[in-house]
Amino acid sequence: MFYRIVPAFTVLMVLNGASTYAQAASQIAQSASGGLFQGTPEERKACRHDSVKFCSDAIPDSLRVLACLKEHREHLTKACDQVLKNHGQ
């Protein structure tokens, strides 16, 4: 996923100039980690226990937490597993 973001960010930076660098970086970072993988409050609640139990060393990096949850899929609660399925993970 990240390999798609970096070239897009580079093109955006060149086309828009350095003055929009901070704004573009913020938007990309938010969509890469915050918007896509944090979920609703209910989804976060469903995966909170599993995240702490299996992935505490990855918190607060939501991309690492997602990867970790996927690695421990067979041990996840049904609710958290369903959240991942609902998001195509």
Side-chain angles (χ1 to χ4, degrees), residues 7-82:
F9 178 70
T10 303
V11 169
L12 184 65
M13 193 173 87
V14 170
L15 292 176
N16 292 327
S19 64
T20 59
Y21 173 80
Q23 181 181 5
S26 174
Q27 289 173 345
I28 289 172
Q30 184 178 25
S31 67
S33 63
L36 292 177
F37 300 111
Q38 286 190 349
T40 66
E42 293 81 13
E43 291 170 332
R44 289 193 302 268
K45 182 178 179 183
C47 289
R48 182 174 297 129
H49 174 76
D50 294 325
S51 297
V52 171
K53 182 176 181 179
F54 300 115
C55 310
S56 61
D57 61 327
I59 296 171
D61 186 336
S62 59
L63 292 174
R64 286 183 55 215
V65 172
L66 175 62
C68 175
L69 289 173
K70 290 166 68 173
E71 287 176 17
H72 292 91
R73 178 150 239 150
E74 64 274 3
H75 303 292
L76 299 180
T77 60
K78 290 180 183 180
C80 185
D81 185 53
Q82 188 60 51

